[in-house]
Coordinates of all heavy atoms in Angstrom, one line a residue:
V57 N 100.9 117.7 83.0 CA 100.6 116.6 82.1 C 101.9 116.1 81.4 O 102.1 114.9 81.3 CB 99.5 117.0 81.0 CG1 99.4 116.0 79.9 CG2 98.2 117.2 81.7
S58 N 102.7 117.1 81.0 CA 104.0 116.7 80.3 C 104.9 116.0 81.3 O 105.5 114.9 80.9 CB 104.7 118.0 79.8 OG 105.9 117.7 79.3
E59 N 105.1 116.5 82.5 CA 106.0 115.8 83.5 C 105.5 114.4 83.8 O 106.3 113.5 83.9 CB 106.2 116.7 84.7 CG 107.0 117.9 84.5 CD 107.1 118.8 85.8 OE1 106.5 118.4 86.8 OE2 107.9 119.8 85.7
A60 N 104.2 114.3 84.1 CA 103.7 113.0 84.4 C 103.8 112.0 83.3 O 104.3 110.9 83.5 CB 102.2 113.1 84.8
G61 N 103.5 112.4 82.0 CA 103.7 111.6 80.9 C 105.2 111.2 80.7 O 105.5 110.0 80.4
K62 N 106.1 112.1 80.9 CA 107.5 111.8 80.8 C 108.0 110.7 81.8 O 108.6 109.8 81.5 CB 108.4 113.1 81.0 CG 109.8 112.9 80.9 CD 110.6 114.2 81.1 CE 112.1 113.9 81.0 NZ 112.9 115.1 81.3
R63 N 107.5 110.9 83.1 CA 107.9 109.9 84.1 C 107.3 108.5 83.8 O 107.9 107.5 84.0 CB 107.5 110.4 85.5 CG 108.5 111.5 86.0 CD 108.2 112.1 87.3 NE 108.1 111.2 88.4 CZ 107.7 111.6 89.6 NH1 107.5 112.8 89.9 NH2 107.6 110.7 90.6
L64 N 106.1 108.5 83.3 CA 105.5 107.2 83.0 C 106.2 106.6 81.8 O 106.4 105.4 81.8 CB 104.0 107.4 82.7 CG 103.1 107.7 83.9 CD1 101.8 108.3 83.5 CD2 102.9 106.5 84.7
N65 N 106.5 107.4 80.8 CA 107.2 106.9 79.6 C 108.6 106.3 79.9 O 109.0 105.3 79.4 CB 107.3 107.9 78.5 CG 106.0 108.2 77.8 OD1 105.1 107.3 77.9 ND2 105.9 109.3 77.2
E66 N 109.3 107.0 80.9 CA 110.6 106.6 81.3 C 110.6 105.2 81.9 O 111.6 104.5 81.9 CB 111.2 107.6 82.2 CG 111.7 108.8 81.6 CD 112.2 109.9 82.6 OE1 112.0 109.7 83.8 OE2 112.7 110.9 82.1
T67 N 109.5 104.8 82.5 CA 109.3 103.5 83.1 C 108.5 102.5 82.3 O 107.9 101.6 82.9 CB 108.8 103.7 84.6 OG1 107.5 104.3 84.5 CG2 109.7 104.4 85.5
D68 N 108.4 102.8 81.0 CA 107.6 101.9 80.1 C 106.2 101.8 80.5 O 105.6 100.7 80.4 CB 108.3 100.6 80.0 CG 109.7 100.6 79.3 OD1 109.8 101.5 78.4 OD2 110.5 99.8 79.6
K69 N 105.6 102.9 80.9 CA 104.2 102.8 81.3 C 103.4 103.8 80.4 O 102.5 104.5 80.8 CB 104.0 103.3 82.7 CG 104.8 102.5 83.8 CD 104.0 101.3 84.2 CE 104.7 100.6 85.3 NZ 106.0 100.0 85.1
Q70 N 103.8 103.8 79.1 CA 103.1 104.7 78.1 C 101.6 104.3 77.9 O 100.9 105.1 77.3 CB 103.9 104.8 76.8 CG 104.2 103.5 76.2 CD 105.6 103.0 76.6 OE1 105.9 103.0 77.7 NE2 106.3 102.4 75.6
Y71 N 101.2 103.2 78.4 CA 99.8 102.8 78.2 C 98.9 103.5 79.2 O 97.7 103.3 79.2 CB 99.7 101.3 78.3 CG 100.4 100.7 79.5 CD1 99.8 100.6 80.8 CD2 101.7 100.2 79.3 CE1 100.5 100.1 81.8 CE2 102.4 99.6 80.4 CZ 101.7 99.6 81.6 OH 102.4 99.0 82.7
V72 N 99.4 104.3 80.2 CA 98.6 105.0 81.1 C 98.2 106.3 80.5 O 99.1 107.1 80.0 CB 99.4 105.3 82.4 CG1 98.6 106.1 83.4 CG2 99.8 104.0 83.1
E73 N 96.9 106.6 80.4 CA 96.5 107.9 79.8 C 96.5 108.9 80.9 O 96.1 108.7 82.0 CB 95.0 107.7 79.3 CG 94.9 106.8 78.2 CD 93.5 106.7 77.7 OE1 92.8 107.7 77.7 OE2 93.1 105.5 77.3
V74 N 97.0 110.1 80.5 CA 97.1 111.3 81.4 C 96.3 112.4 80.8 O 96.5 112.8 79.7 CB 98.6 111.7 81.6 CG1 98.7 112.9 82.6 CG2 99.5 110.5 82.0
E75 N 95.4 112.9 81.6 CA 94.6 114.1 81.2 C 94.5 115.0 82.4 O 94.6 114.7 83.5 CB 93.2 113.6 80.8 CG 93.1 112.6 79.7 CD 91.7 112.1 79.5 OE1 90.8 112.7 80.1 OE2 91.6 111.2 78.7
P76 N 94.2 116.3 82.0 CA 93.9 117.3 83.1 C 92.7 116.9 83.9 O 91.7 116.4 83.3 CB 93.7 118.6 82.4 CG 94.2 118.4 81.0 CD 94.2 116.9 80.7
G77 N 92.7 117.0 85.2 CA 91.5 116.7 86.0 C 90.5 117.8 86.0 O 90.9 118.9 85.6
V78 N 89.3 117.5 86.3 CA 88.3 118.5 86.5 C 87.6 118.4 87.8 O 87.6 117.3 88.4 CB 87.2 118.4 85.3 CG1 87.8 118.7 84.0 CG2 86.6 117.1 85.3
T79 N 87.1 119.5 88.3 CA 86.4 119.5 89.5 C 85.1 120.3 89.3 O 85.1 121.1 88.4 CB 87.3 120.0 90.7 OG1 86.6 119.8 91.9 CG2 87.6 121.5 90.5
G80 N 84.1 120.1 90.1 CA 82.9 120.8 90.0 C 82.9 122.1 90.8 O 83.4 122.1 91.9
C81 N 82.3 123.1 90.3 CA 82.2 124.4 91.0 C 81.2 124.1 92.2 O 80.1 123.6 92.0 CB 81.6 125.4 90.0 SG 81.1 127.0 90.8
P82 N 81.6 124.6 93.4 CA 80.7 124.4 94.5 C 79.4 125.1 94.4 O 78.4 124.7 95.0 CB 81.6 124.8 95.7 CG 82.8 125.5 95.1 CD 82.9 125.2 93.7
A83 N 79.4 126.2 93.7 CA 78.2 127.0 93.6 C 77.2 126.5 92.5 O 76.0 126.3 92.8 CB 78.5 128.5 93.3
C84 N 77.8 126.3 91.3 CA 76.8 125.9 90.2 C 77.0 124.5 89.7 O 76.2 124.0 88.9 CB 77.1 126.9 89.0 SG 78.7 126.7 88.3
G85 N 78.1 123.8 90.1 CA 78.3 122.4 89.7 C 78.9 122.3 88.3 O 79.2 121.1 87.9

Side-chain angles (χ1 to χ4, degrees):
V57 169
S58 177
E59 287 179 356
K62 180 180 177 185
R63 284 178 56 183
L64 288 163
N65 287 340
E66 287 173 352
T67 56
D68 293 327
K69 306 274 188 293
Q70 52 269 41
Y71 48 84
V72 178
E73 293 182 35
V74 181
E75 298 175 10
V78 293
T79 190
C81 173
C84 66

